[in-house]
Amino acid sequence: MPQLLIEKIEALSREIEEADRILIGAGAGLSAAAGLSYFDEDAFKKYYPDMYARGFHFPYELVGRGDDEWTIGRKWAYWATHINYVRNIFQPAPLYKKLLSLVEGKDWFVVTSNADRQFMRNGFDMERVFEYQGHYDTLSCSKRCTHHTWNNYEALQHVLAHIDHETFECPAEHLPRCPYCGELAEMGFRPEDWNVGRDRYVNFVNESEDMRLCIIELGVGFNTPAVIRWPFERICYAIPRSTLFRVNRGYLDYANHKGYPKIPAELGNRAVSIDCDAAEVIQTLVDMRK
Ligand SMILES: [Zn+2]
């Protein structure tokens, strides 16, 4: 590892130890570093065989599909397959546990765009985690007869068991339904207590105004920069004693964003670009503590 990179990670390690508070932002790059990548063609071939056979290559290719092109039966076949992989086949990732070990006992908060529930599954106190884009565990009513959202595990297992592998569709009689009105359910994403998490996040940031705040951004790219990336730059700008550590590999996957994890010049030396895989940085931080 280049000396400059080691020095940057040492600075991060010091800041984790000495800061009053730690704010972590986690994007898809963190789960990818943990082995759960929506660009993983091998896993896709193995766990989404019906889709692979139809010419698709990786899970992210499918996100957002289906509104126009797919029947409702195929949409559910896809969601059930995808969520079963993310939530049941893929196990809690040790990388997340290592991250937890770095901040345990400190005053920390996590905001994440990941819906995969790895923070929950690895023992993070979920009162300190805000899943900004919701998560994969809930269903809601497609007709909005209630604001209630409910756990989707059984309904999705039922869909999985009834997928017609000739058509890759779930027959209408086996689709998830709203338990209140009987209409079709849909993926909930935002659980009914989403606002509670948002308020905790906002309060954490507001209360950190005069504190020494260590801001760590892990694997946040340009898919949804309004969720973590841009707010974190503004938070760092607004809180004088904060430092932003932007950890990401160069954006090689995106033709328009080649290069290192850039930081705004306005933040001066209060922002540090760490051009490195999140898994490597977290492991180095763990090793530095020994
Ligand atoms: Zn309903």
Side-chain angles (χ1 to χ4, degrees), residues 211-243:
M211 294 190 190
R212 181 168 168 182
L213 179 68
C214 174
I215 307 172
I216 312 171
E217 191 187 278
L218 298 165
V220 176
F222 286 97
N223 274 339
T224 52
V227 173
I228 296 170
R229 189 181 182 93
W230 294 337
F232 269 28
E233 292 172 355
R234 287 197 290 269
I235 291 168
C236 183
Y237 192 72
I239 299 182
R241 294 171 68 214
S242 65
T243 310

Side-chain angles (χ1 to χ4, degrees), residues 76 80 83-84 87-89 121 136-139 150-161 176 187:
W76 278 110
I83 291 170
N84 187 51
R87 285 292 281 111
N88 305 319
I89 296 171
R121 297 175 76 196
Y136 276 160
D137 286 0
T138 56
L139 292 177
W150 60 97
N151 187 279
N152 60 18
Y153 180 79
E154 278 177 24
L156 293 189
Q157 288 300 312
H158 187 80
V159 170
L160 266 186
M187 283 297 300

Side-chain angles (χ1 to χ4, degrees), residues 21-64:
R21 284 183 154 185
I22 301 161
L23 175 63
I24 296 170
L30 179 62
S31 280
L36 181 58
S37 169
Y38 293 169
F39 293 96
D40 187 338
E41 190 163 344
D42 292 332
F44 190 74
K45 201 169 173 177
K46 188 166 174 194
Y47 297 112
Y48 305 63
D50 292 323
M51 301 308 295
Y52 193 80
R54 285 170 172 78
F56 294 99
H57 294 93
F58 52 87
Y60 205 77
E61 207 176 346
L62 307 169
V63 172

